[in-house]
Amino acid sequence: MEALHALQTDLATQAHHFYHWERQQPNKTYLRQPVGSRFMDFSWGEVGRQARIMATYLNALGLPPHSNIGLVSKNCAHWIIADLAILLSGHVSVPFYPTLTAAQLRQVMAHSGCRVLFVGKLDNWPAMKPGMPAGVHGIAFPNYLPASPSPDPDLTPWETILNGYEPMRDSPLRSPDDIYTIVYTSGTTGNPKGVMLDMKAVAAFMKAVEPVGRLDVNDARYFSYLPLCHIAERNVVEVGSLITGGTVHFAESLETFAGNLVAARPTHFLAVPRIWTKFQLGILAKLPQKRLDRLLRIPLVSDLVKRKIRKSLGLNEAVFILTGAAPMPVSLIQWFRRLGIVIQEAYGMTENLGGVSLMPVDDSRDGTVGKLYEGMEVKIDPDTGEVLTRADWLMRGYYREPAMTAAVLRNGWLHTGDIGQLDENGYLTITGRVDDMYKTPKGEYVAPSQIEFGFADNSYVEQICVAGQHLPQPVALVVLSEMGRHTDRMQVTRSLESTVNVLNPHLHTYERVKKVVVVKDQWTVENNMMTPTMKIKRNIVEKQYEPHLEPWYSREETIVWEE
C-alpha cells in the first residue's frame, strides 16, 4: 500500500498520514455524514481546508503552546475535523463523553484546565452547559439539519470561523515527545483519570498494528458509532482511516443505526460484546435457533443463509471484525463463526493504547484474548496473578496525578489490574480483575467475572453482576435481554435454574451461586449503572442492591424476581 511504503522509513504520526492523503487524493471522500436520507460528504481536501482554517483560528486565540482543548460531541464528521485541527495547531486534544452530566463535565474540564471547548452533536447541551467553566471559549459545530436550533448563541459558530480566517499554509510536524491527547477513562470506579499519550507512543503502536490490522485493504471503509473519545474507537476508526486513506461513515442516531451500517458496508468494524449480543438476538428473532441449525446443515442452503445474514448486518464485505472493551463469551464468538463472521478479540486499556493482544484470524485460541503484538512484553505477577505490560506505547502518566501514576507505572511496567495467564505461544488469557475479587466471611477469595462467564450461553440474560461480599455464597443479579422480557416467567425461571445447575459443579464450593435475582430495571449509561463504553459499574450496582441482598438470600426459591 502506497502510504505504508512511503512512510515505513520513520515512525509516522497521524499528521504524516493526513498530509499524505490530503496531497495524494484531495477529491476522494473521507467522511460521510448521514442526514436523514442523504449524505454530507467531505473530501480529504475539504477536511484539510476546514481543519487548517480551524487551526489558524486556534492559534489566533493567543493560547500558550500545547494548551489543552476540549471536545464534547457524539461521533460525526466535525469530531474528526476538530481533532485534526487541534493536532495541526500544536495543541492537545482532550475529548469527553457526550453523555456527561453538567457536574461530570465540570469535573473533567476543571481537572484538564481546557481553555477552549468544541461543542458538537449532543442530546441536551442546555443541561450540560452549566458544567462549562466561566472563561472557557466555546466553538459550536455546524448543524447538519438546517431547521435545528443553534446549540448555544454564546458559542462561536463553526461557519463564522470558516468565513473569517484563512487556512494554515504550512504542514507542521510535532515533536515525538509532545503530548498528543489526554484521554479520560470512562470511570468504572471514582473520577475519570486523564491518560496522557504522546506522539511517539501513538506512532509506535501504529507501526505495531501494520502487520496484523489489515491496513492493506483497498477502499477501506469504517463505521463510527462507539464513542470516539474512547481509545478503541479512536484507534480503529480515526487512526485506521488516516493510515489507510479510507472512508469513515457515521451513524446518525440509534434509530437509523442498522440502516447506516448496511449503507456503509464497512471493511473494518468494531463492536463491544453487548452489540454482538443484540445482533445475535435480532437474527434469532427472525430465524429461531433450531431452524437456523437445520438450515446450516444443508450445504448449498447454508452458504446462502450465511451470505444473507452477513448482508443484512452490513458485514458482507468486512475483513477485519473486532470486539473489545469487555470480555466476549466464547460461545458468542463461536456462534458468529458458524455464520462466517470471524470476530477477532482485542485486549488492552487506555493506559497502553488498547494494544496488548489481538486474536489472529487464522489461528484462534478460544478462551484467550489473542496473541501479543510484536513489541509488547507481558509478565504475570507471581504473587497476585496481575498482568503487567511494557511497550513503546505506554502512557506518559495520569494528568496532574503523580501518585496515581506511580501506583501503576513501576520500573517501566504498567500494572493493568487484570488477572491473567500467558502461554508459551504468546496467547493471553484474562480471568478477572484484582479489584473485583472479594473475600467471603470465611476468608476465601471469589472472582465474580469467572462466575459471570457461566451465564454467557443463556440468551435470556443481557447483563449480570455477581455480588454478595458479606453473604455465605454469591448472588447473581441479572437483567433480562429483550427475548427474556418477552418470554413466559416460568420458562425463564427454568432456564436460569438449568444454567445454575450446570455452572455450580464447576466452581469451588464457596463460589457456587446461591440465588439468581432478576432485577426490574435495566442498567444503562443514563442511570449511571454503566460506563459510556457499556461496562457495568460494579460498585454502583452493588450499592444499589446491597440493602436487598440478605432478604433475597433468605428466600426459599433459587430464582428470585424483584417485585
Side-chain angles (χ1 to χ4, degrees):
M1 180 180 161
E2 182 184 357
L4 296 182
H5 291 308
L7 300 171
Q8 275 179 348
T9 57
D10 200 358
L11 275 183
T13 66
Q14 297 94 309
H16 282 97
H17 288 289
F18 176 71
Y19 295 146
H20 173 83
W21 295 118
E22 181 190 35
R23 182 177 65 254
Q24 293 296 319
Q25 50 184 32
N27 298 319
K28 181 187 174 184
T29 299
Y30 178 23
L31 307 176
R32 297 208 83 194
Q33 178 67 47
V35 182
S37 59
R38 63 187 180 89
F39 288 95
M40 291 179 64
D41 289 347
F42 298 82
S43 68
W44 283 89
E46 179 59 17
V47 168
R49 186 185 76 87
Q50 294 197 24
R52 287 172 176 276
I53 291 175
M54 201 56 57
T56 297
Y57 179 74
L58 291 175
N59 286 330
L61 294 176
L63 301 171
H66 313 303
S67 289
N68 294 341
I69 295 181
L71 168 55
V72 60
S73 173
K74 291 182 179 181
N75 299 13
C76 61
H78 285 86
W79 199 108
I80 289 182
I81 298 174
D83 200 44
L84 286 169
I86 297 168
L87 173 71
L88 301 188
S89 69
H91 295 301
V92 179
S93 172
V94 188
F96 303 123
Y97 284 99
T99 52
L100 295 180
T101 64
Q104 291 168 335
L105 179 63
R106 186 181 304 111
Q107 190 273 322
V108 290
M109 283 289 292
H111 188 271
S112 62
C114 287
R115 307 278 295 274
V116 178
L117 179 67
F118 285 96
V119 178
K121 185 180 176 186
L122 297 167
D123 288 333
N124 193 353
W125 168 244
M128 191 186 291
K129 181 183 177 181
M132 183 175 171
V136 171
H137 182 80
I139 301 170
F141 284 7
N143 295 316
Y144 296 122
L145 293 171
S148 63
S150 172
D152 190 334
D154 295 331
L155 306 177
T156 302
W158 185 281
E159 297 93 332
T160 300
I161 297 170
L162 290 188
N163 294 330
Y165 291 82
E166 292 296 318
M168 182 179 67
R169 296 300 177 190
D170 57 345
S171 298
L173 294 172
R174 306 281 291 277
S175 165
D177 293 321
D178 282 356
I179 299 297
Y180 155 58
T181 188
I182 299 174
V183 178
Y184 277 85
T185 60
S186 53
T188 51
T189 58
N191 287 330
K193 299 184 289 290
V195 177
M196 296 184 290
L197 301 171
D198 57 35
M199 301 299 299
K200 63 178 181 291
V202 179
F205 182 54
M206 289 163 67
K207 194 75 171 177
V209 169
E210 285 180 18
V212 293
R214 293 307 308 268
L215 302 178
D216 57 345
V217 175
N218 291 322
D219 190 27
R221 296 182 300 281
Y222 301 82
F223 185 65
S224 183
Y225 67 102
L226 295 171
L228 267 166
C229 53
H230 186 270
I231 196 64
E233 181 83 352
R234 205 152 171 213
N235 278 346
V236 173
V237 172
E238 185 179 22
V239 175
S241 66
L242 287 172
I243 296 175
T244 62
T247 301
V248 178
H249 297 244
F250 296 91
E252 183 179 23
S253 66
L254 186 62
E255 292 71 28
T256 64
F257 173 87
N260 294 153
L261 176 55
V262 170
R265 295 176 296 110
T267 57
H268 297 66
F269 181 71
L270 165 68
V272 296
R274 194 177 181 201
I275 298 293
W276 290 114
T277 299
K278 287 185 178 295
F279 284 167
Q280 180 193 42
L281 294 176
I283 293 167
L284 293 177
K286 298 176 181 177
L287 197 60
Q289 189 67 60
K290 288 184 179 179
R291 187 179 175 209
L292 178 60
D293 290 339
R294 187 168 62 251
L295 293 175
L296 292 178
R297 285 194 291 267
I298 306 172
L300 292 179
V301 174
S302 174
D303 290 341
L304 183 63
V305 168
K306 291 176 185 178
R307 283 199 300 272
K308 188 173 181 179
I309 290 174
R310 291 198 298 269
K311 188 172 182 179
S312 71
L313 292 175
L315 300 180
N316 49 311
E317 297 184 27
V319 296
F320 192 56
I321 305 174
L322 293 173
T323 188
M328 178 86 156
V330 171
S331 58
L332 192 56
I333 290 177
Q334 293 173 341
W335 190 88
F336 277 102
R337 194 183 294 152
R338 288 187 66 204
L339 300 178
I341 299 173
V342 180
I343 302 171
Q344 296 175 252
E345 189 158 9
Y347 165 73
M349 55 198 302
T350 310
E351 289 84 344
N352 50 37
L353 265 163
V356 177
S357 62
L358 175 70
M359 188 69 73
V361 69
D362 55 352
D363 191 10
S364 295
R365 309 284 177 93
D366 290 340
T368 75
V369 292
K371 195 170 185 177
L372 302 184
Y373 285 101
E374 188 71 30
M376 169 57 68
E377 298 177 73
V378 165
K379 67 179 181 180
I380 308 298
D381 186 295
D383 297 322
T384 64
E386 184 179 11
V387 176
L388 279 57
T389 70
R390 184 168 68 181
D392 289 338
W393 53 88
L394 297 187
M395 69 170 180
R396 180 81 64 84
Y398 294 124
Y399 185 63
R400 295 176 57 189
E401 300 291 352
M404 288 184 178
T405 300
V408 299
L409 273 179
R410 304 177 221 159
N411 300 317
W413 290 91
L414 173 69
H415 291 241
T416 66
D418 288 322
I419 301 170
Q421 301 168 346
L422 184 68
D423 71 17
E424 64 277 6
N425 296 310
Y427 284 79
L428 183 64
T429 302
I430 301 299
T431 58
R433 290 282 299 169
V434 174
D435 292 342
D436 289 347
M437 294 183 69
Y438 67 83
K439 188 184 290 187
T440 69
K442 293 184 178 180
E444 297 101 343
Y445 280 98
V446 174
S449 58
Q450 290 304 294
I451 303 171
E452 291 161 0
F453 288 158
F455 287 78
D457 291 334
N458 193 313
S459 57
Y460 296 143
V461 176
E462 180 166 324
Q463 297 166 296
I464 181 169
C465 179
V466 168
Q469 184 170 352
H470 304 297
L471 299 174
Q473 301 286 142
V475 171
L477 305 170
V478 303
V479 174
L480 295 182
S481 65
E482 186 175 355
M483 181 185 294
R485 294 193 296 273
H486 291 90
T487 301
D488 177 74
R489 178 179 285 201
M490 186 55 67
Q491 184 174 335
V492 173
T493 296
R494 286 196 296 266
S495 175
L496 292 172
E497 286 175 341
S498 176
T499 297
V500 171
N501 292 335
V502 170
L503 171 63
N504 275 345
H506 298 282
L507 301 173
H508 294 296
T509 305
Y510 56 86
E511 294 177 312
R512 291 175 182 170
V513 176
K514 182 71 172 179
K515 303 289 177 185
V516 176
V517 180
V518 180
V519 301
K520 290 187 300 184
D521 299 325
Q522 288 187 291
W523 302 331
T524 66
V525 175
E526 289 71 26
N527 63 22
N528 199 36
M529 297 290 194
M530 298 189 74
T531 72
T533 53
M534 300 183 187
K535 295 177 185 175
I536 292 171
K537 293 185 175 181
R538 188 180 297 276
N539 59 330
I540 302 293
V541 171
E542 290 175 351
K543 183 178 180 181
Q544 172 76 16
Y545 297 102
E546 178 66 31
H548 308 287
L549 290 181
E550 287 195 17
W552 286 334
Y553 191 87
S554 63
R555 296 269 289 269
E556 183 178 345
E557 64 270 34
T558 301
I559 311 302
V560 177
W561 292 73
E562 184 184 18
E563 301 300 340

